[in-house]
Amino acid sequence: MKTILRFIGSTLILGMLAWVLIVNVAISPSQATIRQLEEAPGQVVYQSRQVLKDQKGASWQAIAFKRTFPDRSDSIYLRLVGFPGTANIDHSQPLTLTNSMGKTLTAADVSHDMFVDPTQIKPDVAQYDLQPILMKLELGIPLRLILPTLDQSEITLNASTDLVEEWRSLIGQK
């Protein structure tokens, strides 16, 4: 009888420990996933890649990246890529970033820097300069990204607080 009670007690304790572990893993905040690529000697790219959904449910790849150069200078950009036919982005307009507190920032469209030949710029791909505004993005507050389009509609993407934190972490990458 004592053996059975010990077995049941041990099983209950192990079960409770397993449950606590599962709950903690399920609710723990996601860790930043920054990829590091060496493009050339002394030139490194650090990337954060996430998939965001727009207001119509279409998926967009959001790639925030920092490129460091041999002279120790760097640049930080956000590239947004939609599926072909998703949008016709207006590259003459900036990306608007608005947080839930109403603070609005803009990031210049630098898509022309992606290609030597501007005719290669895709209508559903845009690149924005994050460097001037990245430190102004407040941690703990989600963002709404508003992409301007040529047909005057806007594409809205929501960036979570974890994603904002991941983007800000690019600053410290060396």
Side-chain angles (χ1 to χ4, degrees):
M1 183 71 165
K2 286 184 181 182
T3 306
I4 294 173
L5 289 175
R6 278 190 206 151
F7 176 75
I8 292 172
S10 297
T11 304
L12 284 173
I13 289 172
L14 286 174
M16 287 190 304
L17 287 173
W19 181 79
V20 168
L21 181 63
I22 290 168
V23 168
N24 282 334
V25 168
I27 63 172
S28 67
S30 61
Q31 296 295 318
T33 307
I34 303 295
R35 295 180 178 137
Q36 178 180 338
L37 309 158
E38 185 171 6
E39 292 183 315
Q43 183 171 315
V44 179
V45 172
Y46 301 93
Q47 290 183 346
S48 161
R49 290 178 175 253
Q50 297 290 329
V51 174
L52 303 177
K53 298 276 187 184
D54 66 19
Q55 73 272 22
K56 295 179 182 175
S59 294
W60 287 76
Q61 183 147 71
I63 308 160
F65 62 98
K66 176 180 181 178
R67 180 170 281 128
T68 60
F69 300 98
D71 67 358
R72 298 202 177 269
S73 64
D74 58 41
S75 56
I76 301 176
Y77 298 108
L78 175 62
R79 184 174 297 163
L80 297 170
V81 181
F83 286 102
T86 303
N88 201 359
I89 297 171
D90 183 352
H91 293 287
S92 69
Q93 300 296 316
L95 173 69
T96 302
L97 300 92
T98 304
N99 71 21
S100 59
M101 306 300 285
K103 181 178 180 181
T104 299
L105 300 166
T106 59
D109 187 308
V110 292
S111 299
H112 59 277
D113 293 344
M114 290 189 318
F115 301 103
V116 174
D117 179 1
T119 62
Q120 292 182 332
I121 297 174
K122 305 292 183 212
D124 42 24
V125 177
Q127 185 164 296
Y128 300 95
D129 187 0
L130 277 186
Q131 193 134 10
I133 65 166
L134 199 53
M135 287 306 294
K136 297 176 185 175
L137 299 179
E138 297 177 46
L139 296 177
I141 302 177
L143 285 175
R144 181 177 310 126
L145 312 178
I146 301 168
L147 286 87
T149 63
L150 291 174
D151 68 1
Q152 304 304 314
S153 64
E154 294 176 336
I155 296 169
T156 303
L157 306 169
N158 293 314
S160 70
T161 57
D162 290 339
L163 186 54
V164 174
E165 186 173 333
E166 190 168 303
W167 292 350
R168 289 257 321 251
S169 75
L170 288 169
I171 294 168
Q173 301 295 324
K174 300 202 186 283

